[in-house]
Every structure is written in structure tokens, then in C-alpha cells.
Amino acid sequence: MIDANSKTLLEVHDLHATVGGIEILKGVNLTVRTGEIHAIMGLNGSGKSTFSKVLAGHPSYEITRGTVLFDGQDISALAPEERAQAGVFLAFQYPVEIPGVANNQFLRLAYNTVQGKRGKEELDPLEFDDFVREKMKLLKMSPDFLDRSVNEGFSGGEKKRNEILQMALLEPRLALLDETDSGLDIDALRIVANGVNQLANKDNALILVTHYQRLLDYIVPDYVHVMEAGRIIRTSGKELAQELETHGYDWIHASDRVAGAQS
Amino acid sequence: MSAVLQNLVNQPYKHGFVTDIEADIAPKGLNEDIIRLISSKKSEPEWLLAFRLEAYRKWLDMAEPAWQNVKYPKINFQDISYYSAPKPKKKLASMDEVDPELLRTFEKLGVPMHERAALAGVAVDVIFDSVSVATTYKEKLAEVGIIFCSISEAVQKYPELIRQYLGTVVPPGDNYYAALNSAVFTDGSFCFIPKGVKCPMDLSTYFRINTEESGQFERTLIIAEEGASVSYLEGCTAPRFDTNQLHAAVVELVALDDADIKYSTVQNWYAGDENGIGGIYNFVTKRGLAKGRNSRISWTQVETGSAITWKYPSCILRGENSVGEFYSVAVTNHHQQADTGTKMIHIGPNTRSTIVSKGISAGQSNSSYRGLVRIAPTARNARNYSQCDSMLIGSHCGAHTFPYIQVQNESAQVEHEASTSRIGEDQLFYFAQRGIGAEEAVSMIINGFCKEVFQQLPLEFAVEATKLLSFKLEGSVG
Ligand SMILES: Nc1ncnc2c1ncn2[C@@H]1O[C@H](COP(=O)(O)OP(=O)(O)O)[C@@H](O)[C@H]1O
Ligand SMILES: [Mg+2]
């Protein structure tokens, strides 16, 4: 996917962030170019979700040091909705339920708001209905999702599909998928992965957050990063995921010690 | 995001202005002479004065209720003027003769009355302070035999009907505020739908309290005869004052066999400022008697205003197969207090009732649902379904639910469901991540939450109610 005309989409430099006064991110560096797929792996609690939320602008998290450039612009002062409108998308690890709000209304409001901000055409309810049903086919979702309340009573897998449906509607330039594979059975995983692959193109980029290698069999990354204690401690090609799967995360430290001993 | 929520909730009251119309005000204080004055000002028959005096004597022996979950300084009933009326230059035959100042007031309120009446097909019986100034569409209604006029006019023109029904649903000694109202009520609406007539349009009344410190004691009486049906709309707004204004209305509904009365309210009285100063005290007694077989009484209310709301629109289901409904949205913000709910009294066999109550609290406000479902021994196969949902916005407000269930017939089916949710940061972040800002998010969540109630409102009212809610809650989520 990496091509000569790609340009830098995301540039994270020495990012430190706190939540409730506790520092979670301790100097993250990451550069993502258009057309690329990155995977961030790491044990539970290593800071992957925090990193995603900080990029998306969750108000509980505070950036205390470092910079986040999206398309060359510092986005750290932008409200989360402005980042979303600019094309940053986060598929949540745990999507919240919003009782009483019909999914189709929510999706249409999100779609039209974002389209409006991007100077593109908005759709009336009937047009949107056709449009969204088309997108749902991609993810093999049944149309009755539209009438249900947002995420309410959805199974884990249904919630994840609903996230990817939103990605399909909002056409982000940078999509962060936080553990989208967890809670999916193998058929659902294939469908979701297939949907994501169809959405990836040379003008956008994906960051897959996962701690299993499984998803990466279906969505093949250009880079794999390992996060630990709020930092990216290793970056390599897709083969790294396989090695982690085989040897476990401790293997990194073992190989580091070997590398350290040699130097 | 706290700041956004804050701004949303802190919008100043839009309708805060006083109209400069010369009022004819009784001296402050309450005694038998004042009651005689009111009665004579209104040229009432002897029996009505007797009704008032009886109520007054009962009231003297009653104690102000203290069981409700609200706090307010003691009301000095001697510091209130019990009668005020704008001075009409002459009897008004048409809208053209209405004081232009008054018409401008309606403009400011966003109620272009004639336009509204004509366009929406709504007949408006306008109450300005305590005297009805203009009534439209009366003739059209008269064609099908419907009477829709002020209660004072009805006392003059249809004394037999008033005498037959007044105080039959809410007796003069029913409760403290109802007794007070019965003694001193100055005006209100009367509506009579004769046998077999379906009212061809929604009937609507706009209330407005205008004279500072003049208590408002509206009296409304609606009768639907056999097979008749009517949808009645009540909307309120009041000017901004620093002294609390007492409002103690009584509404009585009577539905005979197969009759259907739907009563909808959107209430937006001045709630006091963000420090809780000023605002209306709204102590209302609303009750419907489903007297006949297969009759139906349905209350829908959207309560957004008042410093204190104390209100329990109720249904007495006496007729066999009669139906009672209560759909309510109560929003409180800042220092508002609301204690509201309903009573469903099942007396007849196969009576059914539905209660859907949605309470939304923001700021430092407190909202309580208080509901009574009573199944009398005579109410074979009675059924009730109650659903009480509370939504909290921010962490300084409170919601309380007090359901009282009294079942005296074993065949009854009574179901109660309750839930509490909070609009939290994570929900708002989810919306934001999809490009939707906090204001729109809150409005969407609230409208979703209130959907079952809004669906009950006439379309035009539903649109107003939706706007009103968003407006009331602007700035409260963060
Ligand atoms: N809101 C929060 N308050 C306090 N600690 C938090 C909060 N969110 C995350 N953390 C802590 O930050 C660390 C990283 O969490 P997270 O980013 O969710 O990790 P991952 O997604 O890699 O499993 C964990 O130790 C977690 O407990
Ligand atoms: Mg995580």
C-alpha cells in the first residue's frame, strides 16, 4: 500500500498524556502516511486505548507534553467534534449505549453534520435510508439495526459492526480501530475485516489496535508497533506480529537484552 | 465540556417582560369581604357566592400541606391581591378591538394569535391576567353546539351547566390549594362538548400572569357528553419578577359514556434566576372523572417552568371499561423543584390506566415523581402500567420516585417499571467523535428519552415542546 505519492497524515512526537493526574502516555512517537496500515499491539493496560482517545480528543485526558499533527495541523486544541469533522475516526473498544436514540437518526445526524462541515452534500431521510442500507450490506448487517436504539442491547459483535458502519459512512482520513476484533467470532471477523479492507485506500490510513495477531491475518499491516507502559518500544514489519504470537510479549525484552548485550 | 453544558442551561428567561396595562387591583388580603367583592365584580349568582364562602371557611380550617418534597418560604396569603383585571375600554366584539399593547405582548410571546388560530385551526380563549379578553372561533364551534368561553361568561350564560358540574370532581374542600382556588378563582375556561360531537379542532388557551404579586386562581371545567371528544391545549408563560408568584389552579374534566378528553399542557413559567430567586409557585389540582362506560381521560404534560411545581393530574375511573392516561415530561434546572405525578383511582370494572413519567434534572434541581395507583374493591380486572424514568444531567441534581400502590381487588394487574440514567461524558464523547457537538447531542438524547410523551402531543405542540426542552437544558451538560 505504501506508494511514492503518499504524504504524512499523522505525526505524533514525544506525546505525554495524563488522566486524573496520572501519566499514562510517556513519550509516544509515531508517524503515519497516507495509504498505510499500522498495528499497535501490547498487553492490557499498556496505554493503547488511552492513545486512541487522546488522538480523538477525549476531554478527560490531558496532553502534558509533545505534539500531535494531523495533516500538518496541530490538533491538540481542537474539540473532539472538530477532529472528527476533519477526518479522525475512532472505532471504540467499548461503544456506549444511547437508549432512546434511534440508530438511523443518530447515523444520519452524524453523516449530515460531517458532510456539512466538509462542504459536501447532505442527504434527506429517504436518500440517507438508501445510502445507509447499501453500506450495511457491506457488513452483512440486518436493516432492523436502524430502528434500534444506538448500541442498546447489541451483542459485542453487533456493536463492533455498528462502529465499522459508522466508519463507512463518515469516510475518515485516519481511522483508529480499538480492539475491533475482540468479541467477534471468526465469521464476523472476516466480514468486518473485509469491510475495513474495502474502506482502506491510498488517501487514508488505518491504525489497528489489538493484542492478538488474529485480526492481522485479515487486515495486513505495513508496520507493527509494540506499546508498553505508555511508549512504543518496538516497530517492525508485519512479521513482528507473528513473532509476538509465537513467543509472547516477554520475548521483546529477552531479544532486547540480547541486542543490548551485543552492543 | 462542562462549560458547554453550563451555557446551555443558563439561558435567560425569554419571556421576561411586563406589559403596561392599567390593572384594576383589589387590596391585598383575604377575608369574606374580598370574596364578596370578587363575586359582585363578576355579577355572580347567589349560589356561587355561597360556594366560594363555603370553600373559604373550609380553607381556614385546613393546614398547608407539608408532605411534598419541596422547600419554600412560608406564603403570606394576606400579602396577595386576589383580584386584578385589565380595564377594557368597552365590550370587545372582535380581535381588532383588543388593546394593541396586549397584542404586542402576544407578539413578544411568539403567539401571533389570530394567525395561529387561523393557520393552525386552533381556537384560542386568551386569558390575560384574570379576565378573558378575546375569544376566537367561537362561532364555528357554536355551529356544532360546542361551548368554549371563559368561566365567568359561562356563569352568566349557562349557569345551570356550571352549577351542575362545578366542584363535582374537585370538591371545594378537596385540598388546601383547591379550597383556596374555590374561594377566590377569578377566571378560567369552560368547555362543553355536547352528545356525539367530535370537536373539529384542538382548543387552546394561553395563560399569562401579568400583574406583579397578584395570585392566579384559574378555574377550568371541561365536560364531554356521551360519545363526545375533545383535545384541549394549555400553554403558559409569565414575566420575570423577583417576588414569588403563587398559582393555584383547579382543572376539572368530566367524561360521560364513550367520551374522550385529551388535555395537553406545555408549562413554561418563570422558574427564578440561576440563583433560585423569583419564579412561580405552581400548586395545581387537575382531575378528570371518567364517569361513563368506555370513557377516556388522557393527561399529557411537559413541565419546564416554575420555581416549584406541585401537580398531580389524576383520573377517577368510575365508568366500566374507562381508561386513564398520564404522560409527563418534567424538566428541572438550576434550583427548580418539582413534585409531580398522578393518581389513578380505579373504581369501575375493567378499567385501565397507563402512566409514563419522564423526569429530567439538571443543575442543582430536584425532581420527584409521586404516583398513586388505587384499585378499589369494585374494580374487577383493573389494569395499570406505570413507567417512571429519570435522567440526570451533571452530578448536583436529584431525582426521586415515590410510587404508591393500593390494590383491593385480587384480579388487578399492576405493573411498575423505573429507571435512572445519566447523560455522561462518555455518551457526549461518542457523539462528538461522530462530529456531533454537545448541544445537539443533549437535544437528541433528551428527545429520545421523551419520545413516548411527545408522541402524545398534537404535532404543533410537540415541535414547541422539543424546542423548549433544548432551550431549557442549553448549557447543562459537560
Ligand atoms: N480514566 C482513567 N482513570 C485512571 N486510569 C486510567 C483511566 N483510563 C485508563 N487508565 C489506566 O491507564 C492504563 C492504560 O489503559 P488503557 O489505555 O485502557 O490500556 P490498553 O488499551 O492498552 O489496555 C491502565 O493502567 C489503566 O488503568
Ligand atoms: Mg484498550
Side-chain angles (χ1 to χ4, degrees):
Chain A
M1 280 257 211
I2 303 167
D3 81 291
N5 296 323
S6 76
K7 54 178 196 144
T8 303
L9 190 59
L10 177 73
E11 210 171 349
V12 177
H13 180 68
D14 192 28
L15 183 66
H16 290 247
T18 59
V19 57
I22 304 164
E23 184 170 75
I24 310 288
L25 300 185
K26 298 170 179 169
V28 178
N29 291 294
L30 179 68
T31 301
V32 176
R33 300 171 65 84
T34 53
E36 292 179 349
I37 298 178
H38 291 242
I40 299 180
M41 303 186 71
L43 292 172
N44 270 333
S46 56
K48 305 182 298 294
S49 291
T50 301
F51 180 60
S52 314
K53 287 186 201 167
V54 168
L55 291 187
H58 193 294
S60 298
Y61 297 79
E62 193 190 341
I63 295 178
T64 49
R65 182 141 47 110
T67 51
V68 179
L69 301 185
F70 178 69
D71 212 6
Q73 299 274 319
D74 185 347
I75 57 166
S76 53
L78 293 186
E81 60 270 28
E82 293 170 314
R83 300 185 199 197
Q85 290 155 7
V88 176
F89 180 87
L90 170 57
F92 288 86
Q93 181 174 3
Y94 303 109
V96 294
E97 303 194 353
I98 306 169
V101 174
N103 212 19
N104 60 353
Q105 286 181 15
F106 174 76
L107 296 173
R108 192 174 77 239
L109 180 62
Y111 177 80
N112 281 338
T113 305
V114 164
Q115 287 286 102
K117 292 289 175 187
R118 293 177 187 165
K120 293 195 198 158
E121 196 200 349
E122 299 181 25
L123 298 180
D124 69 33
L126 288 177
E127 293 167 333
F128 182 77
D129 195 61
D130 291 341
F131 179 68
V132 72
R133 279 166 196 266
E134 237 4 85
K135 300 280 179 188
M136 287 171 82
K137 283 186 195 155
L138 179 74
L139 294 159
K140 301 201 160 60
M141 288 171 80
S142 115
D144 61 46
F145 271 86
L146 292 173
D147 299 323
R148 291 164 64 180
S149 293
V150 181
N151 295 327
E152 195 186 28
F154 287 23
S155 70
E158 288 171 337
K159 285 183 181 166
K160 296 303 172 74
R161 283 195 219 194
N162 205 31
E163 294 295 290
I164 302 306
L165 173 63
Q166 297 179 54
M167 174 181 165
L169 291 172
L170 301 181
E171 299 186 334
R173 303 185 58 208
L174 175 68
L176 301 143
L177 310 189
D178 192 357
E179 309 257 2
T180 296
D181 50 338
S182 64
L184 294 183
D185 60 36
I186 194 71
D187 292 331
L189 181 68
R190 274 206 199 99
I191 292 164
V192 165
N194 179 45
V196 171
N197 281 327
Q198 291 194 38
L199 295 170
N201 61 43
K202 66 177 178 33
D203 298 316
N204 62 23
L206 284 178
I207 299 177
L208 308 171
V209 172
T210 179
H211 61 260
Y212 300 111
Q213 185 263 341
R214 197 172 72 139
L215 177 68
L216 308 182
D217 290 341
Y218 298 95
I219 309 174
V220 180
D222 301 300
Y223 298 98
V224 174
H225 311 273
V226 176
M227 184 170 269
E228 187 187 279
R231 276 194 176 127
I232 288 175
I233 56 159
R234 176 71 71 92
T235 294
S236 188
K238 64 170 185 280
E239 65 287 351
L240 179 57
Q242 191 56 59
E243 290 183 87
L244 287 169
E245 183 81 356
T246 317
H247 305 296
Y249 284 94
D250 271 347
W251 161 80
I252 295 216
H253 296 290
S255 65
D256 279 349
R257 278 194 293 276
V258 172
Q262 283 171 346
S263 64
Chain B
M1 230 180 273
S2 224
V4 184
L5 274 185
Q6 223 46 48
N7 292 334
L8 271 162
V9 184
N10 292 341
Q11 297 267 343
Y13 185 67
K14 256 205 313 200
H15 302 312
F17 47 81
V18 184
T19 307
D20 203 7
I21 292 181
E22 220 184 316
D24 174 3
I25 305 180
K28 284 180 180 177
L30 183 54
N31 52 51
E32 294 203 0
D33 288 344
I34 290 286
I35 291 168
R36 286 175 209 282
L37 171 83
I38 295 170
S39 197
S40 79
K41 279 256 185 201
K42 305 178 78 64
S43 326
E44 289 177 352
E46 199 54 40
W47 63 263
L48 191 48
L49 176 61
F51 175 93
R52 289 177 181 278
L53 290 172
E54 183 205 335
Y56 174 67
R57 286 165 198 149
K58 289 198 162 129
W59 180 75
L60 285 178
D61 286 336
M62 296 170 96
E64 207 174 332
W67 46 263
Q68 66 270 42
N69 191 22
V70 298
K71 292 189 188 72
Y72 56 94
K74 195 141 184 59
I75 299 167
N76 180 357
F77 291 95
Q78 297 305 332
D79 197 36
I80 293 171
S81 162
Y82 288 86
Y83 181 78
S84 85
K87 282 180 188 159
K89 291 180 185 71
K90 53 180 175 3
K91 271 261 169 219
L92 301 173
S94 79
M95 282 296 296
D96 305 340
E97 297 174 34
V98 175
D99 188 333
E101 183 77 22
L102 178 56
L103 291 179
R104 272 193 294 277
T105 303
F106 288 119
E107 294 304 322
K108 279 191 260 181
L109 280 171
V111 186
M113 184 174 58
H114 35 278
E115 217 184 285
R116 178 170 212 129
L119 287 177
V122 170
V124 180
D125 178 13
V126 177
I127 310 259
F128 187 70
D129 260 29
S130 312
V131 171
S132 298
V133 188
T135 302
T136 53
Y137 274 72
K138 218 186 252 179
E139 284 162 27
K140 202 166 174 187
L141 295 172
E143 275 171 30
V144 286
I146 293 174
I147 302 168
F148 181 39
C149 64
S150 76
I151 202 144
S152 318
E153 190 182 333
V155 167
Q156 304 302 323
K157 289 193 181 161
Y158 317 100
E160 262 56 67
L161 279 175
I162 301 295
R163 196 170 184 178
Q164 186 184 345
Y165 287 107
L166 188 76
T168 57
V169 186
V170 180
D174 185 81
N175 67 70
Y176 190 79
Y177 302 110
L180 181 63
N181 175 288
S182 300
V184 302
F185 72 89
T186 45
D187 220 328
S189 298
F190 175 68
C191 176
F192 178 81
I193 319 292
K195 200 166 172 168
V197 173
K198 310 266 176 242
C199 187
M201 64 192 86
D202 293 340
L203 301 181
S204 167
T205 304
Y206 286 86
F207 292 89
R208 182 166 167 83
I209 301 175
N210 192 59
T211 310
E212 188 166 9
E213 287 183 65
S214 84
Q216 285 281 298
F217 303 95
E218 304 287 352
R219 187 94 195 183
T220 299
L221 178 59
I222 300 175
I223 316 294
E225 283 197 329
E226 292 84 352
S229 77
V230 61
S231 163
Y232 189 89
L233 319 181
E234 175 201 309
C236 311
T237 171
R240 172 169 206 147
F241 285 127
D242 273 345
T243 40
N244 291 303
Q245 290 184 301
L246 173 64
H247 186 95
V250 170
V251 176
E252 295 178 283
L253 314 180
V254 181
L256 303 186
D257 287 357
D258 304 301
D260 188 334
I261 301 177
K262 189 171 169 57
Y263 193 106
S264 312
T265 309
V266 172
Q267 188 267 111
N268 179 27
W269 280 337
Y270 182 50
D273 65 16
E274 60 261 43
N275 299 313
I277 308 295
I280 305 291
Y281 291 180
N282 190 22
F283 302 145
V284 184
T285 306
K286 288 184 164 174
R287 195 173 300 155
L289 174 60
K291 193 173 183 181
R293 295 168 60 96
N294 310 319
S295 57
R296 187 174 78 119
I297 301 267
S298 179
W299 299 101
T300 304
Q301 60 173 23
V302 177
E303 298 284 322
T304 69
S306 300
I308 300 177
T309 301
W310 180 91
K311 182 177 172 190
Y312 315 90
S314 306
C315 299
I316 300 173
L317 305 174
R318 185 183 294 161
E320 187 171 347
N321 283 325
S322 61
V323 173
E325 294 170 336
F326 175 74
Y327 295 94
S328 170
V329 168
V331 181
T332 54
N333 198 356
H334 301 309
H335 292 266
Q336 277 178 279
Q337 308 174 66
D339 194 304
T340 182
T342 186
K343 292 181 209 166
M344 292 291 172
I345 312 294
H346 293 252
I347 298 170
N350 300 317
T351 45
R352 279 159 294 150
S353 64
T354 303
I355 298 172
V356 176
S357 163
K358 306 278 179 175
I360 302 164
S361 314
Q364 328 223 7
S365 67
N366 251 300
S367 142
S368 299
Y369 167 82
R370 192 181 299 278
L372 168 68
V373 176
R374 180 189 296 154
I375 313 287
T378 46
R380 255 182 304 108
N381 299 322
R383 273 183 294 160
N384 162 266
Y385 172 74
S386 302
Q387 183 190 332
C388 288
D389 299 320
S390 308
M391 179 166 276
L392 303 173
I393 302 177
S395 51
H396 302 295
C397 52
H400 316 272
T401 304
F402 304 99
Y404 304 91
I405 298 169
Q406 300 169 359
V407 177
Q408 295 169 298
N409 187 308
E410 282 177 5
S411 62
Q413 284 179 41
V414 177
E415 254 180 277
H416 180 89
E417 286 178 23
S419 77
T420 301
S421 50
R422 193 181 285 275
I423 297 188
E425 197 170 57
D426 281 332
Q427 279 182 325
L428 293 180
F429 181 59
Y430 193 79
F431 275 89
Q433 218 308 299
R434 303 307 185 236
I436 304 167
E439 293 191 15
E440 270 190 294
V442 169
S443 134
M444 193 171 223
I445 293 171
I446 294 292
N447 286 327
F449 180 69
C450 301
K451 196 166 49 194
E452 292 141 288
V453 176
F454 286 171
Q455 278 166 353
Q456 298 297 323
L457 290 171
L459 186 63
E460 203 193 26
F461 240 33
V463 173
E464 273 181 41
T466 306
K467 280 196 212 135
L468 185 59
L469 247 63
S470 306
F471 171 76
K472 279 280 161 177
L473 292 167
E474 264 173 39
S476 63
V477 186

